Amino acid sequence: MGMAIPVYYSAEMVRALPDDGRRHETVHGELLVTPSPSLWHQELIDRLRDRIKPFIKQHGIGHLVSSPADISWAPDILVQPDLFVVPMHEARKLEWAAIRTLILTVEVLSPSTERYDRFTKRRLYQEAGVPTYWIVDGDRRFVEIWTPAARFPELRRDRITWQPVGTEASLEIDLEDLFAPL
């Protein structure tokens, strides 16, 4: 009886998978497959988008993009962050291959994505030098803030503040408001 050989997934292999309604990503060859997000997950994405977009437009910080996406820094990497801010000069090219710099990355947790978002993708974003990575836990109502050098997250339950590198402006988001019921 033969032993199954594990598959090391490339970004190209993931792009070739049939569209089955699930999100397919790969980080250093590991295939990450997650189901469609919950309504609460999508509501939090919308609320965050509504707060981040005016701020970055007003201060000329970059362009806000939401998943589905096709971020690939290497042949064995393909991720789809829930929300991310990229420099305007990269966004203007209107090609996924041109997106090399994430200024802010946001993942909203779902039960099926928690391990990937907290460990696999968090380590990848740190390795890639993403200056700020937010992990939003809508069920427990807090946000983890990660930076490239952080060994542990900064946990916020009241308010998050984001001051992009090179700007004097800062965005503040009240978490009680963000997590308010529909």
Side-chain angles (χ1 to χ4, degrees):
M1 182 157 80
M3 183 180 225
I5 298 172
V7 175
Y8 190 89
Y9 284 86
S10 69
E12 185 176 317
M13 291 167 71
V14 171
R15 286 186 192 102
L17 292 172
D19 184 1
D20 62 1
R22 297 181 296 174
R23 183 182 293 185
H24 297 84
E25 303 169 282
T26 184
V27 174
H28 300 304
E30 178 185 0
L31 180 65
L32 314 178
V33 181
T34 54
S36 297
S38 69
L39 181 57
W40 180 232
H41 178 279
Q42 294 304 89
E43 178 64 25
L44 290 172
I45 294 293
D46 286 346
R47 291 176 184 188
L48 286 163
R49 184 183 302 110
D50 290 347
R51 288 156 177 82
I52 296 169
K53 191 166 190 162
F55 172 78
I56 64 171
K57 282 187 92 166
Q58 178 183 0
H59 299 286
I61 293 165
H63 185 70
L64 181 64
V65 184
S66 58
S67 193
D70 200 2
I71 306 302
S72 182
W73 293 301
D76 62 348
I77 293 173
L78 178 79
V79 290
Q80 298 189 32
D82 288 325
L83 285 173
F84 53 102
V85 177
V86 300
M88 191 57 80
H89 69 276
E90 291 182 13
R92 284 191 175 120
K93 294 178 183 172
L94 298 176
E95 296 180 17
W96 290 122
I99 305 298
R100 311 303 299 161
T101 310
L102 304 184
I103 299 168
L104 169 69
T105 302
V106 179
E107 296 281 9
V108 175
L109 293 182
S110 295
S112 61
T113 67
E114 186 171 2
R115 186 181 75 79
Y116 299 146
D117 292 341
R118 278 210 167 103
F119 299 101
T120 308
K121 292 169 79 175
R122 187 251 314 159
R123 299 273 317 261
L124 172 70
Y125 297 143
Q126 287 180 301
E127 290 169 10
V130 174
T132 306
Y133 173 42
W134 293 344
I135 299 175
V136 179
D137 191 325
D139 292 336
R140 295 182 196 109
R141 302 187 184 289
F142 68 83
V143 175
E144 296 177 19
I145 301 172
W146 289 91
T147 59
R151 292 191 50 139
F152 299 97
E154 177 184 338
L155 295 178
R156 305 296 289 190
R157 293 186 180 279
D158 55 348
R159 156 175 322 284
I160 51 177
T161 303
W162 176 50
Q163 183 174 8
V165 174
T167 66
E168 293 187 26
S170 61
L171 169 67
E172 290 196 9
I173 298 174
D174 180 280
L175 296 182
E176 185 175 329
D177 182 49
L178 179 70
F179 298 131
L182 282 174

